[in-house]
Amino acid sequence: MPAPFKRIHMPKPLYEEIEKFVSKPNAPYKTPAELCREAGQMLTEHYKLREKYA
């Protein structure tokens, strides 16, 4: 039985940009994972993907 989701690996340049953003002292997120989790939740809610795809 296949996994219910796929793990998506972020391209290295994008990850580096995110790390620069979260390393600022006044950034609202402490790690790239927190930022990506929040972005993923916002996208699933915006596109209403929760029922079928999320």
Side-chain angles (χ1 to χ4, degrees):
M1 186 169 167
F5 61 90
K6 283 186 168 182
R7 182 173 295 258
I8 298 172
H9 295 282
M10 195 180 321
K12 189 170 181 165
L14 178 59
Y15 187 82
E16 289 170 351
E17 286 297 317
I18 290 171
E19 278 201 334
K20 284 183 207 172
F21 175 75
V22 298
S23 67
K24 293 179 182 176
N26 60 351
Y29 305 102
K30 301 298 177 210
T31 64
E34 284 181 20
L35 178 64
C36 293
R37 187 178 315 114
E38 182 73 22
Q41 288 175 351
M42 291 170 75
L43 285 170
T44 38
E45 290 172 7
H46 176 70
Y47 289 110
K48 297 177 178 56
L49 300 174
R50 193 168 307 283
E51 298 86 15
K52 188 174 179 182
Y53 300 104

